[in-house]
Structure formats: C-alpha cells, structure tokens
Amino acid sequence: MTSPTPPPPATAHFRLPPISILAIALAIGVTVISLVILATHRQPWLGLRLGLSPENPEHIIAVHTEGPAKAIPTGTRLTTVSSAADTMELTPLDLTIEPDGTMGTYRNYDLFPSRQDRLSRIQAAPQITFTAADGHAFTVTPDQENGRPFSTLPADFWAQLIVGNTAWLVSASVFAFRPREVRCHRGPH
C-alpha cells in the first residue's frame, strides 16, 4: 500500500498592508506634484496674464502685467505674438485652461495642442513681441533665469493638482483595501 500523496505546498502570497500601500501612493503623488511644480517654475516667465475682452469675447486683452511685461498697459487688445522664428495670431482657443468638451469641434481639439506647442516655442525665445490692435509693438524679454514665481500660478493650476492627487489616492485606497475587486470585469460570460 502506498502512502497518499501529500497535497502540494500552498504558495505564499506576499501582500503589503494597506497602510504601506497608501504611504507608497502618497509618496508617489507628492513626488509627481513636486516635479510638475518644478517644471512649471522653470518655464520662462512673461509677467503677462491674458484674458477675453468683456466687450467682445473674440478679442484677447492684457488682464494683468508685471515683471518683464510691465510696459504693456492693462486692457490692451493684443492680436499677435511673435519671435524671430514664428508669428501667431492670438485667438480665444489659446486661452483654454482645460481642453475638454468646451472646444466645440474635433477640429478645434486637434488644433489646440499644435497651437500650444507653437506658443511654447515662441515663449522660449530670447525676445517676444506682442502686437496690439492699434499696431503698437511691445517687446518682452522673458525671465529665463529665475523662472515663473509660484505666486503667479493661477488657482486652476493648484486645483488640478489637488484633484489629480485626490483621484490617485482614492484609486490607491481601492487597491489597498479591496484588492480582489480591482480586476476588470468584462461583463457576463
């Protein structure tokens, strides 16, 4: 008579406790936020906040000027921005904060990133010229060395960081406390 075969050894599953998972997620979130803030701070600073004219929402105006752009009077309607390599007409699309469903058409949505890319290249130039509706040109030398002051970052920037980190931590909490429910369900089989 042979002895019964022993059952296969149980495989050990190593699992971090939920608090450790949350601590790691928090550290990742804080690191990402720090990198985003650093990258934003290192951008050339113009000292210019643009907005839509209250009289005509198709017109771009200087809402606030300081630092490198202090020579541009507040309320000046600006029509173009240029560097030595490129010139762009300013449009309301350029002032979009969050490219979501407010863009109207897919064409506008496709146009948005290419315009933002051009604006970024223009802003990286050693000198930028803003042309007003009356033809007056304002040359601005962006502050390339000190970067953008943290105090000039708008509330929308901080809100997006908070919302993004909150979503990240909620997702990490689901993963930490309900690991068996994280799997993707494909519907009825």
Side-chain angles (χ1 to χ4, degrees):
M1 208 163 170
T2 61
S3 62
T5 337
T11 55
H13 292 285
F14 176 74
R15 175 143 167 73
L16 288 174
I19 193 71
S20 297
I21 293 171
L22 291 177
I24 292 167
L26 181 61
I28 291 170
V30 168
T31 301
V32 168
I33 285 175
S34 299
L35 291 172
V36 168
I37 291 170
L38 180 64
T40 303
H41 171 66
R42 295 185 64 169
Q43 296 300 310
W45 181 55
L46 296 176
L48 176 65
R49 189 173 65 216
L50 301 176
L52 299 176
S53 168
E55 290 84 31
N56 184 341
E58 293 297 313
H59 296 165
I60 308 297
I61 62 169
V63 174
H64 179 78
T65 61
E66 61 181 303
K70 65 183 172 224
I72 302 174
T74 300
T76 301
R77 180 176 164 223
L78 301 172
T79 56
T80 63
V81 59
S82 58
S83 66
D86 195 4
T87 298
M88 276 182 74
E89 181 178 335
L90 293 169
T91 69
L93 181 66
D94 301 325
L95 303 183
T96 303
I97 294 171
E98 181 66 40
D100 54 11
T102 61
M103 296 198 143
T105 66
Y106 287 116
R107 183 182 181 290
N108 285 347
Y109 190 81
D110 289 341
L111 188 60
F112 178 74
S114 64
R115 289 187 64 83
Q116 291 296 301
D117 187 46
R118 281 180 68 195
L119 284 169
S120 177
R121 283 194 306 270
I122 289 171
Q123 186 176 345
Q127 286 195 323
I128 300 169
T129 301
F130 289 93
T131 305
D134 64 5
H136 188 84
F138 299 95
T139 300
V140 176
T141 303
D143 186 343
Q144 306 270 0
E145 292 179 25
N146 298 318
R148 183 174 183 163
F150 295 118
S151 62
T152 66
L153 295 172
D156 293 332
F157 172 82
W158 300 107
Q160 287 179 345
L161 287 180
I162 291 167
V163 168
N165 198 41
T166 301
W168 166 250
L169 292 175
V170 167
S171 300
S173 298
V174 170
F175 179 77
F177 292 111
R178 308 206 88 186
R180 288 174 177 59
E181 296 183 26
V182 174
R183 290 187 292 265
C184 176
H185 297 285
R186 296 183 188 192
H189 294 278

Short mmCIF file of all heavy atoms in Angstrom, two decimals, residues 48-56 59-64 73-78 95:
data_model
loop_
_atom_site.label_atom_id
_atom_site.label_comp_id
_atom_site.label_asym_id
_atom_site.label_seq_id
_atom_site.Cartn_x
_atom_site.Cartn_y
_atom_site.Cartn_z
N LEU A 48 2.73 88.24 -17.80
CA LEU A 48 1.55 88.68 -18.56
C LEU A 48 0.44 87.66 -18.42
O LEU A 48 0.65 86.47 -18.67
CB LEU A 48 1.93 88.83 -20.03
CG LEU A 48 0.83 89.20 -21.02
CD1 LEU A 48 0.27 90.58 -20.73
CD2 LEU A 48 1.38 89.13 -22.44
N ARG A 49 -0.72 88.13 -17.99
CA ARG A 49 -1.91 87.26 -17.97
C ARG A 49 -2.88 87.80 -19.00
O ARG A 49 -3.25 88.98 -18.98
CB ARG A 49 -2.53 87.21 -16.59
CG ARG A 49 -3.62 86.15 -16.52
CD ARG A 49 -4.17 85.95 -15.13
NE ARG A 49 -4.84 87.18 -14.73
CZ ARG A 49 -4.84 87.67 -13.49
NH1 ARG A 49 -4.20 87.06 -12.55
NH2 ARG A 49 -5.48 88.77 -13.22
N LEU A 50 -3.28 86.93 -19.91
CA LEU A 50 -4.21 87.32 -20.97
C LEU A 50 -5.61 86.86 -20.61
O LEU A 50 -5.80 85.93 -19.85
CB LEU A 50 -3.78 86.68 -22.30
CG LEU A 50 -2.39 87.03 -22.80
CD1 LEU A 50 -2.07 86.25 -24.07
CD2 LEU A 50 -2.27 88.53 -23.05
N GLY A 51 -6.59 87.52 -21.20
CA GLY A 51 -7.99 87.16 -20.99
C GLY A 51 -8.83 87.62 -22.16
O GLY A 51 -8.32 88.27 -23.09
N LEU A 52 -10.11 87.28 -22.11
CA LEU A 52 -11.03 87.70 -23.16
C LEU A 52 -11.61 89.07 -22.80
O LEU A 52 -11.89 89.36 -21.64
CB LEU A 52 -12.16 86.69 -23.30
CG LEU A 52 -11.74 85.27 -23.68
CD1 LEU A 52 -12.94 84.34 -23.70
CD2 LEU A 52 -11.03 85.26 -25.02
N SER A 53 -11.78 89.89 -23.80
CA SER A 53 -12.34 91.21 -23.60
C SER A 53 -13.80 91.09 -23.18
O SER A 53 -14.56 90.33 -23.79
CB SER A 53 -12.24 92.02 -24.90
OG SER A 53 -13.01 93.19 -24.81
N PRO A 54 -14.23 91.83 -22.16
CA PRO A 54 -15.65 91.79 -21.77
C PRO A 54 -16.57 92.35 -22.86
O PRO A 54 -17.71 91.94 -22.98
CB PRO A 54 -15.72 92.65 -20.51
CG PRO A 54 -14.34 93.05 -20.16
CD PRO A 54 -13.44 92.66 -21.28
N GLU A 55 -16.05 93.28 -23.67
CA GLU A 55 -16.85 93.87 -24.74
C GLU A 55 -17.02 92.93 -25.92
O GLU A 55 -18.06 92.92 -26.59
CB GLU A 55 -16.23 95.18 -25.25
CG GLU A 55 -16.30 96.34 -24.27
CD GLU A 55 -15.15 96.30 -23.27
OE1 GLU A 55 -14.05 95.82 -23.62
OE2 GLU A 55 -15.36 96.73 -22.13
N ASN A 56 -15.97 92.15 -26.22
CA ASN A 56 -16.01 91.23 -27.35
C ASN A 56 -15.19 89.99 -27.00
O ASN A 56 -13.97 90.04 -26.98
CB ASN A 56 -15.46 91.90 -28.61
CG ASN A 56 -15.58 91.02 -29.84
OD1 ASN A 56 -15.75 89.81 -29.76
ND2 ASN A 56 -15.50 91.65 -31.00
N HIS A 59 -11.86 88.95 -28.70
CA HIS A 59 -10.63 89.74 -28.57
C HIS A 59 -9.85 89.34 -27.32
O HIS A 59 -10.43 89.12 -26.26
CB HIS A 59 -10.96 91.23 -28.51
CG HIS A 59 -11.57 91.76 -29.76
ND1 HIS A 59 -12.21 92.97 -29.82
CD2 HIS A 59 -11.65 91.25 -31.01
CE1 HIS A 59 -12.66 93.19 -31.04
NE2 HIS A 59 -12.34 92.15 -31.78
N ILE A 60 -8.53 89.29 -27.47
CA ILE A 60 -7.63 88.96 -26.36
C ILE A 60 -7.08 90.26 -25.80
O ILE A 60 -6.62 91.12 -26.55
CB ILE A 60 -6.45 88.08 -26.86
CG1 ILE A 60 -6.94 86.87 -27.63
CG2 ILE A 60 -5.53 87.70 -25.70
CD1 ILE A 60 -7.75 85.90 -26.85
N ILE A 61 -7.12 90.39 -24.46
CA ILE A 61 -6.58 91.60 -23.83
C ILE A 61 -5.57 91.22 -22.74
O ILE A 61 -5.58 90.09 -22.24
CB ILE A 61 -7.70 92.48 -23.20
CG1 ILE A 61 -8.45 91.72 -22.10
CG2 ILE A 61 -8.66 92.99 -24.27
CD1 ILE A 61 -9.37 92.59 -21.26
N ALA A 62 -4.73 92.17 -22.40
CA ALA A 62 -3.81 92.01 -21.28
C ALA A 62 -4.59 92.29 -20.00
O ALA A 62 -5.02 93.42 -19.78
CB ALA A 62 -2.63 92.96 -21.42
N VAL A 63 -4.80 91.27 -19.20
CA VAL A 63 -5.58 91.40 -17.97
C VAL A 63 -4.71 91.89 -16.82
O VAL A 63 -5.13 92.69 -16.00
CB VAL A 63 -6.25 90.05 -17.60
CG1 VAL A 63 -6.95 90.12 -16.26
CG2 VAL A 63 -7.21 89.63 -18.69
N HIS A 64 -3.47 91.39 -16.78
CA HIS A 64 -2.55 91.76 -15.71
C HIS A 64 -1.13 91.72 -16.27
O HIS A 64 -0.76 90.78 -16.96
CB HIS A 64 -2.67 90.78 -14.53
CG HIS A 64 -1.74 91.08 -13.41
ND1 HIS A 64 -1.97 92.08 -12.50
CD2 HIS A 64 -0.56 90.52 -13.06
CE1 HIS A 64 -0.98 92.11 -11.63
NE2 HIS A 64 -0.10 91.18 -11.95
N PRO A 73 0.19 98.06 -21.27
CA PRO A 73 -0.89 98.56 -20.41
C PRO A 73 -2.01 97.53 -20.23
O PRO A 73 -2.40 96.86 -21.18
CB PRO A 73 -1.41 99.79 -21.15
CG PRO A 73 -0.34 100.17 -22.11
CD PRO A 73 0.36 98.90 -22.46
N THR A 74 -2.49 97.41 -19.01
CA THR A 74 -3.62 96.51 -18.74
C THR A 74 -4.80 96.96 -19.60
O THR A 74 -5.07 98.15 -19.73
CB THR A 74 -3.99 96.56 -17.25
OG1 THR A 74 -2.85 96.14 -16.50
CG2 THR A 74 -5.16 95.67 -16.93
N GLY A 75 -5.49 95.99 -20.19
CA GLY A 75 -6.65 96.29 -21.04
C GLY A 75 -6.29 96.41 -22.51
O GLY A 75 -7.18 96.52 -23.35
N THR A 76 -5.01 96.39 -22.85
CA THR A 76 -4.59 96.49 -24.25
C THR A 76 -5.04 95.25 -25.02
O THR A 76 -4.82 94.13 -24.59
CB THR A 76 -3.05 96.61 -24.36
OG1 THR A 76 -2.63 97.75 -23.64
CG2 THR A 76 -2.60 96.71 -25.81
N ARG A 77 -5.67 95.48 -26.17
CA ARG A 77 -6.08 94.36 -27.02
C ARG A 77 -4.86 93.92 -27.82
O ARG A 77 -4.28 94.69 -28.58
CB ARG A 77 -7.21 94.79 -27.96
CG ARG A 77 -7.64 93.66 -28.86
CD ARG A 77 -8.83 94.04 -29.73
NE ARG A 77 -8.92 93.06 -30.80
CZ ARG A 77 -9.15 93.34 -32.06
NH1 ARG A 77 -9.36 94.58 -32.44
NH2 ARG A 77 -9.20 92.38 -32.96
N LEU A 78 -4.48 92.65 -27.65
CA LEU A 78 -3.33 92.09 -28.34
C LEU A 78 -3.80 91.16 -29.46
O LEU A 78 -4.73 90.37 -29.27
CB LEU A 78 -2.43 91.32 -27.36
CG LEU A 78 -1.90 92.17 -26.20
CD1 LEU A 78 -1.19 91.29 -25.17
CD2 LEU A 78 -0.96 93.24 -26.72
N LEU A 95 -6.44 80.52 -24.95
CA LEU A 95 -6.62 80.77 -23.52
C LEU A 95 -7.37 79.63 -22.82
O LEU A 95 -7.70 79.76 -21.64
CB LEU A 95 -7.38 82.08 -23.31
CG LEU A 95 -6.75 83.32 -23.93
CD1 LEU A 95 -7.56 84.56 -23.59
CD2 LEU A 95 -5.31 83.49 -23.49
#
